[in-house]
């Protein structure tokens, strides 16, 4: 995660209990689950809010079957 992206307060609840974590992210697309390994993002232990930087979003998109489908259509 980029060091320039620093969050100290949760944008949803205002808590200072938001921290940088690295976890596998599990998502679903059309009922099918997929896992994105070791994604760095901020997570608030108070309300559960998750905040992703650009690199994290790009990593999630790279693993997403929805994104791959759109790329294939664009390249056709």
């Amino acid at each position: 995660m980029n060091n320039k992206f620093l969050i100290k307060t949760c944008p949803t609840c205002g808590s200072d209990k938001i921290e940088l974590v690295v976890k596998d992210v599990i998502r679903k697309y059309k009922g099918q689950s997929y896992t994105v390994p070791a994604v760095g993002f901020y997570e608030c232990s108070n309300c559960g809010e998750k905040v992703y930087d650009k690199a994290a979003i790009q990593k999630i998109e790279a693993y997403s079957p929805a994104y791959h489908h759109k790329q294939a259509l664009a390249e056709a």
Side-chain angles (χ1 to χ4, degrees):
M1 209 162 178
N2 188 336
N3 290 336
K4 294 179 185 178
F5 190 76
L6 179 63
I7 296 177
K8 294 183 179 183
T9 304
C10 177
T12 300
C13 73
S15 170
D16 64 352
K17 296 185 181 194
I18 192 161
E19 62 184 7
L20 179 61
V21 296
V22 177
K23 295 181 179 180
D24 291 351
V25 173
I26 300 170
R27 297 284 170 97
K28 283 188 176 186
Y29 176 71
K30 293 188 175 182
Q32 185 177 14
S33 293
Y34 63 96
T35 301
V36 185
V39 178
F41 59 94
Y42 285 90
E43 184 173 38
C44 178
S45 62
N46 191 53
C47 71
E49 175 71 277
K50 294 174 178 67
V51 181
Y52 302 91
D53 71 358
K54 184 177 180 179
I57 291 169
Q58 289 173 333
K59 185 172 185 177
I60 293 167
E61 287 176 346
Y63 280 81
S64 170
Y67 187 76
H68 291 288
H69 178 71
K70 288 178 184 176
Q71 274 187 324
L73 290 175
E75 293 172 359

